[in-house]
Amino acid sequence: MTTSPLEVAGLRSRVDKALAGYLSSKQSLLLDIDPALGDVAETVTDFVLGGGKRLRPAFAYWGYRAAGGLDSDEIVAAVSALEFVQASALIHDDLMDRSDTRRGEPSVHRRFEARHTAQGWRGGAAAFGDAAAVLLGDLTLVWSDDMLHRSGMPFPDLARARPVFDDMRTEVTLGQYLDVLTQATGDTSVERAGKVARYKSAKYTVERPLLLGAALAGAGTAVVEAYSGFGLPLGEAFQLRDDVLGIFGDPAQTGKPAGDDLREGKRTYLVASAFAALDDTARDELDAGLGDQGLDDAGVERLRAIIRDSGALAATEQRIDTLSTEALDVLERAPLEDEARTVLKGLAAAATRRSV
């Protein structure tokens, strides 16, 4: 059996071990402050260790190795900090989208809402759950910074990496806002959908992790430019695959209800492409269904059919292929270590051909 690119060098298990060790130390801190914070510690631990592909640490680690960096537990700890950025983004995203589940389990705001209800506490259970999710999302973002700087990597390496890390967290936050704004304004342009995809997910999934690895390794200009040339189109292809799964994915594999992106009114590239291709009648029907929280299974299937029949699904799949080819062409020409180049090629396939 071929080893998954996420498992080469034992990376996935090493990332999980680094995260578990860090979370254990924070659990002690929280419990020393107040035993009531045990719920916070347990929830963050369950959320961070309970799933995830570890793609971002993998791109950062192999970006470091491909630029000549040497393997160590310290570099694994440093790149593992990206999982806390991801946790923060997902916790806040689920809250903004009013999602009930994440990876087949209750989302963080729903978990604390249920806790409030079970204990019979005062005030509104939903408001308590929302507040808890905001704070836990903030906490995991703080911990991303803390884990990076406690990783044990030399200070000069961390100093080079800090601007990349800060830019990445700024971009994903602003991308989230643009996503919310796009839903509120009903903007259906392909241009806006592409920008949201680029800043909300694409850059911080591939390009910025690669550039973080490059900065930690002290890579030169040629490597940095190659990573952007490889990472940007690949990150966009990753997000387009996410868009397809958000509408057409199998809930048993994605851990999210069927058609969740439709009920949430997501104005993705896939949806924007459909709007651009539809006649007025079909466009009005799609517009009316998007964002309808009461959309039943039959409604989901109807909107899926409209999108599919518009040609948008096929066009999006073609766009994924085009972007992936563009990225791999850059990778082939890049001045990188051969083993790491091979793993990066495998990670590219894992990012764009996945079913979850």
Side-chain angles (χ1 to χ4, degrees), residues 173-223:
T173 301
L174 297 179
Q176 285 277 24
Y177 174 75
L178 288 177
D179 188 27
V180 172
L181 179 65
T182 299
Q183 292 181 62
T185 60
D187 191 333
T188 60
S189 69
V190 173
E191 178 186 3
R192 174 47 66 95
K195 181 175 287 188
V196 169
R198 188 156 54 252
Y199 284 96
K200 180 184 174 183
S201 179
K203 287 175 74 69
Y204 105 100
T205 297
V206 185
E207 185 202 17
R208 288 298 183 186
L210 285 168
L211 294 178
L212 181 69
L216 288 167
T221 302
V223 171

Side-chain angles (χ1 to χ4, degrees), residues 24-335:
S24 178
S25 70
K26 291 304 177 185
Q27 182 177 41
S28 300
L29 172 65
L30 267 59
L31 293 176
D32 284 345
I33 294 173
D34 194 296
L37 294 174
D39 282 349
V40 172
E42 181 182 3
T43 299
V44 174
T45 298
D46 289 348
F47 193 87
V48 172
L49 298 183
K53 296 173 284 295
R54 311 304 189 217
L55 266 176
R56 292 162 187 84
F59 276 116
Y61 173 84
W62 288 107
Y64 172 84
R65 291 288 303 277
L70 300 178
D71 184 31
S72 68
D73 290 341
E74 288 76 17
I75 184 59
V76 172
V79 301
S80 297
L82 290 166
E83 285 299 304
F84 283 111
V85 181
Q86 170 73 339
S88 175
L90 294 180
I91 291 169
H92 285 159
D93 196 45
D94 286 344
L95 173 61
M96 289 183 286
D97 292 341
R98 313 308 305 173
S99 296
D100 293 329
T101 61
R102 168 67 62 179
R103 299 169 184 153
E105 299 293 332
S107 51
V108 168
H109 63 283
R110 295 301 186 207
R111 178 167 171 158
F112 279 89
E113 179 182 343
R115 175 75 167 156
H116 184 287
T117 300
Q119 295 298 317
W121 290 335
R122 298 179 181 183
F128 177 79
D130 291 356
V134 169
L135 294 168
L136 265 67
D138 291 349
L139 181 64
T140 49
L141 193 60
V142 171
W143 284 356
S144 72
D145 194 71
D146 185 58
M147 186 173 189
L148 175 64
H149 289 280
R150 292 177 185 268
S151 64
M153 290 293 289
F155 179 77
D157 297 350
L158 292 173
R160 286 193 306 269
R162 182 60 189 251
V164 178
F165 198 66
D166 289 346
D167 286 348
M168 176 191 65
R169 294 183 298 170
T170 297
E171 287 167 352
V172 71
T173 301
L174 297 179
Q176 285 277 24
Y177 174 75
L178 288 177
D179 188 27
V180 172
L181 179 65
T182 299
Q183 292 181 62
T185 60
D187 191 333
T188 60
S189 69
V190 173
E191 178 186 3
R192 174 47 66 95
K195 181 175 287 188
V196 169
R198 188 156 54 252
Y199 284 96
K200 180 184 174 183
S201 179
K203 287 175 74 69
Y204 105 100
T205 297
V206 185
E207 185 202 17
R208 288 298 183 186
L210 285 168
L211 294 178
L212 181 69
L216 288 167
T221 302
V223 171
V224 170
E225 290 178 350
Y227 281 171
S228 286
F230 168 63
L232 270 175
L234 183 62
E236 290 191 42
F238 169 89
Q239 183 54 45
L240 293 181
R241 174 60 62 210
D242 214 47
D243 294 346
V244 170
L245 292 173
I247 294 178
F248 294 98
D250 180 355
Q253 293 182 308
T254 64
K256 302 279 283 184
D260 234 22
D261 278 8
L262 296 171
R263 296 187 184 91
E264 292 162 9
K266 294 286 189 182
R267 306 280 168 159
T268 63
Y269 180 94
L270 173 61
V271 169
S273 297
F275 272 112
L278 292 169
D279 60 28
D280 290 344
T281 300
R283 188 182 299 116
D284 288 345
E285 186 174 356
L286 178 58
D287 190 46
L290 276 176
D292 180 0
Q293 294 290 327
L295 198 65
D296 59 16
D297 289 346
V300 168
E301 286 304 320
R302 175 58 186 155
L303 295 188
R304 282 174 167 172
I306 290 173
I307 293 169
R308 187 185 297 109
D309 293 346
S310 75
L313 178 59
T316 300
E317 291 288 356
Q318 180 59 53
R319 178 70 176 156
I320 292 171
D321 289 344
T322 299
L323 289 166
S324 298
T325 299
E326 178 185 338
L328 291 173
D329 285 347
V330 174
L331 183 65
E332 283 298 324
R333 300 191 303 269

